[in-house]
Amino acid sequence: MKSLPIFFTMFITSIAVIGCAQNAKEAEMEDFITAHVEKIQPIAKEANLASWNAAISGKSEDYDKVSKLTLEIRQIYSNPQDFIFLKEMKESGRVKNPVLARQLDLLYNAYLENQIEPGLLKEIVDLGTEIEKNFSTFRGTIEGKKVTDNEIKEILKIETNSDKRKQAWLASKQVGTAVADDIIRLVKLRNKAARNLGFDNFHTLSLTTVEQDVKELDRIFEELYELTNEPFAKLKTELDRILAAKYDMAVKDLMPWHYHDPFFQETPMVYALDLDIYYEDKDIKKLATKFYYGIGLPVDSILANSDLYEREGKNPHAFCTDIDREGDVRILCNLKNNETWMETILHESGHAIYDKYHDPQLPYLLREPAHIFTTEAIAMFFGRLSRNPVWMQQMLELSEQQRAEIEKVSGKYAQLKQLIFARWAMVMYDFEKQLYATPDQNLNRLWWQTVEKYQFVNKPQGRNQPDWAAKIHFAIAPCYYHNYMLGELLASQLHHHIVHKILKLESDENVSYVGQKQAGDFLAKNVLEAGALYHWNEMIERATDEPLTPKYFVTEFVK
Ligand SMILES: [Zn+2]
């Protein structure tokens, strides 16, 4: 995970605007940027530090400081005069210098999403907080007894009795009924704000401010749908056969509660694969350091600055943060020597090198990844290696036989994991788009139509409950989920390009990237150094000779 860019840390110390013959508009733009950066730079750094301190201390005074600074930053970006200035600048078409124009675009978008009328914004924030609170305090019940999310998850993972599974699944959906009306209210408030800004709904506004086009995303998701339809059907038939045998029932009677999590977004554990045994006597911090050093993108200084091990009061998850855009990049982990944390440290270090190795000549406003999903892609690209049998053999010094053992199931598992996630991401993208387009339609029915279309999961007969509302993302991370999928697509596209065009190999069969400086160099020059200098799709096209496409994800995981 990447800490979300709440702060939009936009600042500048040296303006590297190239070229001469600057027109008056460009000069004005430059002055605006200088003044803006002078204001935002110190607060952004302070806010990032406060947020870091809060995550490692867990103290409420640190969290209070974060809220205060976040609000200050929001106030800067909600200034209506500044927004009018940027809007006129954009519409004038006179800012032609590409580096300046790029900064104008990013600034315009950052201001645009903050131009919601203060009263309405307060309503939106308050209702969002209320829903989030309900999510975190609500407990579903099984036979009148309260159960936690973890207890529900555990039952869905191991229970073989269908009726008990059903009870657990139903309990996981109860929160949906409790929050659905509020979510619909929130959707309508968000739509109202978007319409005030001239957009047809909030979904379109959200995508526009992060430079994503609904039509283009539709095209990508449609293609992914077509390309995965058959292979997913095949894999799922096989999976269903295994599950039905386990529960001693007919395949046609399988219900949503027979998968291993409430939404069938994760891989049911049917292909046994315990990779932890290979990692338990290793030092995964050392492994990550050694690997990144070997590809010419060292992370020593990043890890030295980081907070890597469990401690009382510390945030139990993992993230990466760029404190100042001048090289102070840190990751937070809670490392244990197992496969999950190996993946995590590789993943977070992937975010970290993207932040660290931008071209220092770039203006500060452009010293960030091209998009939130492109940094996710780099993180995923490296995170995937913890389960790669060749990587494991080389890094962990395994025997041929051990490698063969891992290979037997790892490919199958990766395929299943990626296809299940892809089909689930399609549900999220499609449903959310329609939720904002027509919030008054029969959403309960729409949800099951969408689930049946993409996931091939049966709707329980007569079911008419807001099962969709049990997914917290609609409330607290709106119009964001699709980025996880785009990250996977780009990770595969980069992998394909490096294997075939950079390493000039026929296939990726024995590719582990261990010691492959060429791969590191390619990523540094074409992705990391560019920062946000180009629109994400231009960056991708420059790097791989074509815009973002689902083709290579399919080649990699559908065999
Ligand atoms: Zn991430």
Side-chain angles (χ1 to χ4, degrees):
M1 155 180 162
K2 170 82 182 155
S3 66
L4 287 175
I6 354 164
F7 310 128
F8 266 93
T9 40
M10 296 190 155
F11 40 84
I12 193 169
T13 54
S14 66
I15 299 172
V17 177
I18 322 126
C20 42
Q22 216 181 33
N23 64 46
K25 283 277 182 212
E26 288 180 334
E28 249 184 280
M29 188 62 224
E30 235 186 79
D31 289 345
F32 180 91
I33 292 173
T34 310
H36 175 79
V37 162
E38 262 169 27
K39 242 184 318 188
I40 207 95
Q41 172 179 11
I43 311 177
K45 183 173 174 178
E46 209 189 328
N48 290 334
L49 275 172
S51 173
W52 173 260
N53 289 335
I56 59 174
S57 77
K59 285 187 188 148
S60 59
E61 64 245 45
D62 288 329
Y63 281 103
D64 291 347
K65 198 172 173 196
V66 177
S67 308
K68 182 183 145 275
L69 292 162
T70 307
L71 190 67
E72 269 180 51
I73 291 169
R74 252 205 132 115
Q75 271 158 357
I76 294 176
Y77 284 104
S78 49
N79 183 316
Q81 283 81 39
D82 284 355
F83 180 65
I84 291 169
F85 170 85
L86 292 165
K87 193 162 189 261
E88 284 172 1
M89 214 32 115
K90 222 169 131 69
E91 282 162 2
S92 80
R94 297 288 312 280
V95 179
K96 298 227 186 288
N97 176 304
V99 182
L100 216 49
R102 184 74 194 129
Q103 293 173 85
L104 169 57
D105 283 346
L106 292 180
L107 275 175
Y108 176 81
N109 287 333
Y111 274 85
L112 174 61
E113 64 174 358
N114 283 292
Q115 296 308 302
I116 300 172
E117 186 262 309
L120 181 55
L121 181 64
K122 189 174 180 308
E123 257 186 279
I124 292 174
V125 172
D126 288 350
L127 184 54
T129 312
E130 174 75 22
I131 297 172
E132 194 176 351
K133 212 175 78 200
N134 285 339
F135 259 104
S136 60
T137 51
F138 187 93
R139 296 285 175 271
T141 52
I142 297 179
E143 288 167 347
K145 209 176 132 259
K146 284 189 177 172
V147 282
T148 65
D149 283 1
N150 278 333
E151 284 166 332
I152 291 172
K153 276 187 189 153
E154 192 60 20
I155 294 171
L156 291 177
K157 272 204 180 89
I158 56 171
E159 183 56 58
T160 50
N161 178 301
S162 272
D163 200 50
K164 287 188 177 156
R165 299 188 66 88
K166 182 178 177 181
Q167 295 306 321
W169 184 85
L170 288 171
S172 79
K173 301 299 173 195
Q174 288 164 0
V175 67
T177 313
V179 296
D181 289 345
D182 279 346
I183 296 182
I184 296 173
R185 217 148 54 81
L186 182 59
V187 164
K188 289 180 178 172
L189 287 174
R190 285 170 176 163
N191 275 351
K192 186 174 164 192
R195 288 200 192 101
N196 290 347
L197 294 171
F199 290 83
D200 45 354
N201 63 52
F202 180 78
H203 183 257
T204 325
L205 166 68
S206 302
L207 264 55
T208 307
T209 57
V210 295
E211 303 190 294
Q212 287 176 333
D213 178 60
V214 179
K215 279 205 186 78
E216 179 157 34
L217 288 198
D218 282 352
R219 188 185 55 70
I220 291 171
F221 272 90
E222 181 63 30
E223 196 183 338
L224 186 62
Y225 169 66
E226 297 288 339
L227 290 171
T228 53
N229 242 340
E230 241 177 80
F232 178 68
K234 231 174 98 186
L235 267 175
K236 178 146 182 307
T237 304
E238 200 184 310
L239 173 65
D240 283 353
R241 256 203 306 267
I242 298 173
L243 290 174
K246 222 169 147 175
Y247 306 129
D248 194 19
M249 60 192 294
V251 167
K252 67 170 177 45
D253 296 330
L254 283 173
M255 283 291 147
W257 45 86
H258 290 116
Y259 301 94
H260 286 192
D261 68 281
F263 291 98
F264 187 33
Q265 63 181 87
E266 286 158 24
T267 325
M269 294 309 279
V270 292
Y271 301 99
L273 180 63
D274 180 12
L275 295 181
D276 289 349
I277 49 167
Y278 301 105
Y279 287 102
E280 64 194 4
D281 59 344
K282 299 286 190 299
D283 180 339
I284 61 170
K285 179 189 170 192
K286 272 194 191 143
L287 289 170
T289 310
K290 187 174 160 198
F291 170 72
Y292 276 100
Y293 180 81
I295 56 166
L297 297 166
V299 294
D300 312 54
S301 67
I302 297 166
L303 297 185
N305 239 348
S306 296
D307 196 300
L308 299 176
Y309 297 98
E310 275 185 310
R311 224 180 29 250
E312 186 65 29
K314 182 181 158 182
N315 179 320
H317 304 111
F319 64 83
C320 167
T321 179
D322 184 354
I323 299 288
D324 59 2
R325 299 192 181 198
E326 294 184 309
D328 185 353
V329 177
R330 309 174 184 187
I331 68 175
L332 181 139
C333 283
N334 289 276
L335 295 183
K336 284 189 173 13
N337 293 322
N338 60 32
E339 191 271 326
T340 307
W341 280 106
M342 184 77 248
E343 177 186 6
T344 306
I345 192 173
L346 288 168
H347 180 106
E348 299 307 334
S349 300
H351 285 304
I353 56 167
Y354 207 152
D355 290 333
K356 180 98 180 173
Y357 294 113
H358 58 244
D359 177 356
Q361 299 298 316
L362 280 176
Y364 269 63
L365 285 177
L366 304 183
R367 291 186 177 190
E368 61 173 350
H371 199 278
I372 189 82
F373 90 79
T374 65
T375 181
E376 220 45 74
I378 294 296
M380 286 163 170
F381 178 95
F382 289 111
R384 287 174 183 178
L385 294 171
S386 67
R387 268 168 274 124
N388 174 322
V390 197
W391 191 89
M392 290 179 71
Q393 185 182 24
Q394 288 170 309
M395 295 300 296
L396 308 172
E397 293 163 1
L398 305 182
S399 66
E400 277 299 319
Q401 198 199 339
Q402 284 173 309
R403 170 185 158 168
E405 280 292 307
I406 298 167
E407 245 163 18
K408 260 195 286 181
V409 278
S410 69
K412 185 97 198 162
Y413 180 78
Q415 230 179 321
L416 200 58
K417 178 179 150 96
Q418 292 288 358
L419 277 173
I420 286 173
F421 181 74
R423 302 297 286 199
W424 161 245
M426 290 174 207
V427 172
M428 289 296 285
Y429 176 69
D430 196 348
F431 180 83
E432 193 164 33
K433 193 177 69 178
Q434 304 199 52
L435 168 67
Y436 283 97
T438 324
D440 279 322
Q441 66 182 303
N442 185 336
L443 294 167
N444 301 355
R445 192 174 63 202
L446 175 69
W447 176 255
W448 280 103
Q449 282 168 350
T450 316
V451 166
E452 286 179 332
K453 174 179 175 183
Y454 295 111
Q455 295 183 292
F456 308 154
V457 169
N458 297 323
K459 172 187 162 187
Q461 223 187 353
R463 180 89 183 152
N464 181 20
Q465 292 293 324
D467 295 329
W468 55 274
K471 191 72 194 161
I472 193 170
H473 294 71
F474 295 124
I476 68 161
C479 312
Y480 183 80
Y481 213 85
H482 59 276
N483 287 311
Y484 298 121
M485 191 65 239
L486 300 183
E488 298 283 6
L489 300 186
L490 178 56
S492 290
Q493 188 166 339
L494 290 167
H495 172 67
H496 185 273
H497 185 83
I498 295 174
V499 169
H500 295 273
K501 303 286 166 59
I502 307 300
L503 306 178
K504 299 191 170 31
L505 298 169
E506 289 292 314
S507 90
D508 67 353
E509 213 172 311
N510 286 307
V511 173
S512 67
Y513 296 116
V514 174
Q516 289 284 5
K517 278 216 166 58
Q518 276 173 289
D521 281 353
F522 167 81
L523 289 174
K525 286 210 174 61
N526 294 280
V527 183
L528 317 186
E529 282 174 19
L533 183 58
Y534 309 110
H535 179 277
W536 56 268
N537 224 358
E538 190 185 343
M539 180 279 285
I540 295 171
E541 195 164 354
R542 282 167 173 268
T544 67
D545 306 322
E546 57 188 323
L548 184 65
T549 163
K551 263 192 314 212
Y552 303 111
F553 173 82
V554 175
T555 330
E556 189 173 350
F557 295 109
V558 178
K559 279 168 188 158

